[in-house]
Amino acid sequence: MAGTVRWGVLSAAKIAREQVIPALQKGRFSEVAAIASRDVGRGRQAAESFSIPKAYGSYEDLLADPDIDAIYNPLPNHLHAPLTIAALEAGKHVLCEKPIALNAGEARDIERAQTASGRLVAEAFMVRHHPQWRRAREIVQSGRLGDVRAIQTIFAYNNVDPNNIRNNPEIGGGGLYDIGCYAIATARFIFGTDPERVIGLFERDPAMGTDRLTSALAAFPNGRQLAFTCSTQLAPNQRVQINGTKGRLEIQVPFNAKRHDATRIVFDDGRDHLGGGAEVEEFPPTDQYVLQGEAFSRAILEGGRLEFPIADAVVNMRIIDALFRSDRSNAWETV
């Protein structure tokens, strides 16, 4: 396969600077050709730091650049849908940070814009490209765990800065949008199906109004269940347990796997409570952002289909919507 996808980045957001721009620059099929920031000085500084040829002072100018093939959108959550739609209408492919939108209605608007444009658009769940998650799904599908019936997920960090965008409910802040979405997406990835109903328990910061501690149950077909807790105000922690009738599988660093660190999953047949039947499988250091960028760039160059298209993102937003409805109704809500 020959060719290179020329990427433009909307904003000099932290995840763009620390993860995605370096990953796209390492990719075999991608180059970062432009960056835009409403703070022109910040955009130029980022462009200089990463040797990016063009820096724009507005998002619209970047979208109008005919030399840009694809857009990476790491803007605050409330700008995901409008800027992604604008990019599609400008003829660009789009990789948009999670959550793809603030609700399923916005996600469907993106889906319609994608259909009209003929371009590709996807939600940036990089974890689904990591070998440890691929291997976990392979083990589940092999039957080694028996009948997999339950997944338990914890994802937490501690951020009490009122000026941080993750703590502003007006622009899509809060734990469910920011990290609970990972628990939902990865459970769907492992089970290979979608939940039918959900119920959530939300505790909000009294000053900022964001959900700082959220727990949820999701009922999948055939009696399978996801139980997860996410928090923006707990000690940093993340673990995933996949539980079957013949064993369990633990993913020790499921979401923020560092590109310079090895990762491990642990299979335990449950013969005792002290891990006597535990077997560790280790994976060499992997940059999951590089894998994500290469998968999207290859799909563009090959004119093929995405493994996780916009329809997948719409379903994730429907589940999040149902959880927010559950908070208001204090009851189970259908997806």
Side-chain angles (χ1 to χ4, degrees):
M1 182 178 63
T4 300
V5 175
R6 298 163 298 182
W7 285 82
V9 179
L10 292 178
S11 93
K14 181 178 179 181
I15 190 171
R17 290 182 283 107
E18 295 187 357
Q19 304 290 356
V20 178
I21 291 175
L24 290 173
Q25 291 180 324
K26 292 176 186 174
R28 293 171 292 170
F29 315 113
S30 58
E31 62 177 288
V32 181
I35 187 168
S37 175
R38 289 177 176 171
D39 181 334
V40 179
R42 191 172 183 222
R44 288 175 178 167
Q45 183 180 18
E48 183 178 344
S49 298
F50 292 101
S51 299
I52 300 171
K54 299 178 185 178
Y56 290 104
S58 78
Y59 304 142
E60 293 74 18
D61 287 345
L62 172 55
L63 299 185
D65 187 337
D67 295 328
I68 297 300
D69 304 310
I71 295 294
Y72 169 61
N73 181 356
L75 292 166
N77 293 344
H78 71 300
L79 296 177
H80 285 179
L83 267 296
T84 293
I85 291 170
L88 289 167
E89 291 175 344
K92 316 299 185 187
H93 306 278
V94 186
L95 178 65
C96 181
E97 266 306 323
K98 52 76 200 166
I100 194 77
L102 293 182
N103 53 62
E106 288 188 352
R108 286 191 291 268
D109 289 341
I110 295 173
E111 187 174 31
R112 283 189 284 269
Q114 183 270 325
T115 300
S117 70
R119 298 298 188 262
L120 299 177
V121 60
E123 190 172 23
F125 279 117
M126 72 294 180
V127 297
R128 295 184 296 200
H129 299 277
H130 198 289
Q132 66 176 352
W133 277 101
R134 299 284 177 155
R135 178 61 176 148
R137 184 172 65 174
E138 183 180 83
I139 291 172
V140 168
Q141 292 174 344
S142 75
R144 189 180 183 193
L145 300 183
D147 182 9
V148 173
R149 296 178 179 172
I151 296 176
Q152 297 167 312
T153 299
I154 176 74
F155 195 0
Y157 59 79
N158 199 334
N159 182 342
V160 294
D161 178 4
N163 297 313
N164 189 285
I165 61 172
R166 291 171 177 81
N167 291 323
N168 184 345
E170 301 302 317
I171 60 174
L176 180 58
Y177 276 139
D178 192 40
I179 51 180
C181 60
Y182 281 103
I184 297 166
T186 51
R188 295 173 55 225
F189 178 77
I190 292 297
F191 282 146
T193 187
D194 301 320
E196 298 170 327
R197 59 191 181 115
V198 297
I199 191 168
L201 178 65
F202 292 72
E203 198 274 326
R204 286 181 165 79
D205 184 285
M208 296 183 289
T210 50
D211 60 299
R212 63 182 179 183
L213 178 62
T214 296
S215 294
L217 290 173
F220 285 74
N222 301 316
R224 294 178 168 182
Q225 300 176 7
L226 163 68
F228 76 84
T229 293
C230 63
S231 176
T232 62
Q233 294 184 24
L234 287 178
N237 182 26
Q238 53 185 268
R239 283 288 192 279
V240 170
Q241 296 270 0
I242 303 169
N243 302 279
T245 55
K246 295 181 180 178
R248 68 173 182 87
L249 195 65
E250 177 181 341
I251 305 177
Q252 295 186 337
V253 186
F255 308 116
N256 294 130
K258 305 300 183 185
R259 59 179 174 266
H260 301 302
D261 297 336
T263 53
R264 291 180 296 275
I265 61 176
V266 181
F267 169 80
D268 192 337
D269 62 12
R271 68 185 63 177
D272 61 51
H273 295 303
L274 299 176
E279 300 175 16
V280 177
E281 188 168 342
E282 186 168 290
F283 302 84
T286 301
D287 191 330
Q288 55 191 345
Y289 291 94
V290 170
L291 297 177
Q292 172 182 254
E294 290 206 329
F296 196 87
S297 295
R298 285 181 65 96
I300 293 171
L301 294 171
E302 294 175 344
R305 299 180 62 184
L306 292 166
E307 182 179 4
F308 307 105
I310 181 61
D312 178 89
V314 171
V315 172
N316 229 56
M317 288 312 309
R318 287 174 55 204
I319 297 163
I320 290 172
D321 284 355
L323 282 168
F324 281 127
R325 291 198 307 272
S326 172
D327 180 41
R328 295 189 294 271
S329 69
N330 197 32
W332 284 92
E333 292 286 341
T334 57
V335 178

